[in-house]
Amino acid sequence: MDLFFMITFFISWIIWFILADKSRWREILPVCVLASGLGMLTDDLTEHAIMYWEYFGEEPKWVVQIADDLGIYVVVTYLFIQWLQKEKTLPNMLPYWFIWTGLSITIEYIHIATGHMTHQY
């Protein structure tokens, strides 16, 4: 497997082991599985039907996508839900969404900047 995707997969799970509240896994894991499945579906649709983005790696693309989908998508979803504000007012949620959106854009930018992903315009 491409070293980049191996590293991102393992870094994602190391972050999960350090930061995740593992006592809530039964509550949060079903949403993570759904998010990962939707990530796989959108990756497949946007690569084959719409061709919006494409992953690049040494292995077959499906291996690269699965490593990404089972690493980043699961961990980010878990931590996003884990730290979701109890009081869901607009003043509480706007900064939270802004921070997580910024994190998502940063992760995608790293993929693009290292040449492991591209957007088709």
Side-chain angles (χ1 to χ4, degrees):
M1 182 184 300
D2 190 283
L3 185 59
F4 175 82
F5 290 98
M6 285 179 65
I7 290 170
T8 58
F9 178 84
F10 286 115
I11 287 174
S12 297
W13 282 103
I14 289 168
I15 290 170
W16 185 86
F17 279 110
I18 293 170
L19 299 176
D21 179 356
K22 291 149 203 75
S23 67
R24 296 181 63 192
W25 75 269
R26 286 188 176 115
E27 168 192 358
I28 300 174
L29 188 62
V31 179
C32 296
V33 170
L34 176 64
S36 183
L38 290 174
M40 289 180 194
L41 177 65
T42 58
D43 283 349
D44 197 45
L45 286 174
T46 57
E47 188 168 336
H48 300 292
I50 302 168
M51 198 61 171
Y52 180 67
W53 67 71
E54 186 175 3
Y55 291 108
F56 296 103
E58 296 172 10
E59 292 292 323
K61 289 182 184 179
W62 68 270
V63 174
V64 169
Q65 289 175 341
I66 287 176
D68 203 37
D69 294 340
L70 295 180
I72 293 173
Y73 288 175
V74 173
V75 172
V76 169
T77 302
Y78 195 99
L79 296 176
F80 177 85
I81 292 171
Q82 170 183 301
W83 292 322
L84 194 60
Q85 305 292 319
K86 299 229 183 282
E87 188 178 324
K88 294 174 182 65
T89 62
L90 192 59
N92 283 346
M93 295 305 294
L94 277 178
Y96 189 74
W97 292 332
F98 184 76
I99 289 167
W100 281 97
T101 301
L103 176 65
S104 297
I105 291 169
T106 301
I107 290 170
E108 188 153 329
Y109 176 76
I110 290 169
H111 279 72
I112 292 169
T114 59
H116 290 90
M117 179 182 184
T118 185
H119 286 176
Q120 309 295 327
Y121 295 98

